[in-house]
Every structure is written in C-alpha cells, then in structure tokens.
Amino acid sequence: MEFSSLLEAFAVYHREPEGSRAYLDAIAYILRSVPPEIKEEFYRIVFSHFPELKPDYYDKEGNPLYDLDHACEFLGLSDEDKERFIEWAQDQQGIFADPERLHKIQ
C-alpha cells in the first residue's frame, strides 16, 4: 500500500485490523518516515516491553534491523503465517535484514 503522508498512514494504522497487510504497511511507512526522535522513542518503548527482543543488525543510522527468521521465531508464527509475513517483509525497506544481502553489500 502506498501512502502520501504520515497522517494517511496513521489513519490506516488506526482503521485496519491488527495484523492485516494494510496495517503492517502503515507501520512500516510510519517507521521509515517519522523524525529520528520519534523513532528512537518508539524503539525504546518496544525494547522496554520486550527485553528479549534484540536486533540482529543495525543500519548506518543506528536503526535496529531484524533477520526475518528471527522475527518469525520471536512472533511465534505458524508456517502459513510465516510465509505471509516473509512475503510482506520482503517488500519493506529498512526494517528487516536479509543476511545474505547484507554480506554482499559489506
């Protein structure tokens, strides 16, 4: 799903069912688009609620990145849900890391 603004993404986030493709697309857009201070606060809150969740990598700006298999394991996804999640996650830029691709870039 394409968004033209943060306001539009937040509207979809609040309107769509949790876990739906549109809901997840809105979260991804929001995380890519908010100012760094808000993103830092978001990550601080997430990590305080889920202390066992550790990033697998960090990008150049210090944002946490998660290996797709690690994210699926942490979320406890079934095989069917895992396939759908991976399909969605591969469309997202800057949230999930493909270790093979990272290795090739470095």
Side-chain angles (χ1 to χ4, degrees):
M1 178 171 223
E2 296 292 322
F3 299 98
S4 59
S5 68
L6 276 171
L7 188 59
E8 182 182 355
F10 274 111
V12 169
Y13 167 77
H14 288 292
R15 179 182 67 233
E16 295 296 322
E18 189 173 315
S20 70
R21 174 86 186 208
Y23 177 89
L24 295 173
D25 286 347
I27 291 173
Y29 181 86
I30 292 165
L31 286 176
R32 285 192 306 268
S33 304
V34 297
E37 304 80 32
I38 295 173
K39 192 181 297 186
E40 288 170 15
E41 180 66 11
F42 170 80
Y43 287 133
R44 187 190 66 70
I45 291 168
V46 168
F47 295 142
S48 70
H49 283 75
F50 302 100
E52 67 278 10
L53 178 62
K54 305 289 185 219
D56 297 298
Y57 307 97
Y58 291 91
D59 66 13
K60 289 184 261 183
E61 289 81 37
N63 297 309
L65 298 173
Y66 300 91
D67 178 276
L68 282 171
D69 286 330
H70 179 213
C72 290
E73 182 181 323
F74 178 80
L75 295 169
L77 299 178
S78 68
D79 287 341
E80 182 181 322
D81 288 341
K82 181 177 178 179
E83 285 180 32
R84 286 188 297 142
F85 179 77
I86 288 175
E87 180 183 313
W88 168 81
Q90 288 172 337
D91 291 341
Q92 308 308 312
Q93 300 297 317
I95 296 175
F96 299 98
D98 177 354
E100 294 293 321
R101 201 178 97 232
L102 281 180
H103 181 70
K104 291 174 186 170
I105 290 172
Q106 296 172 345

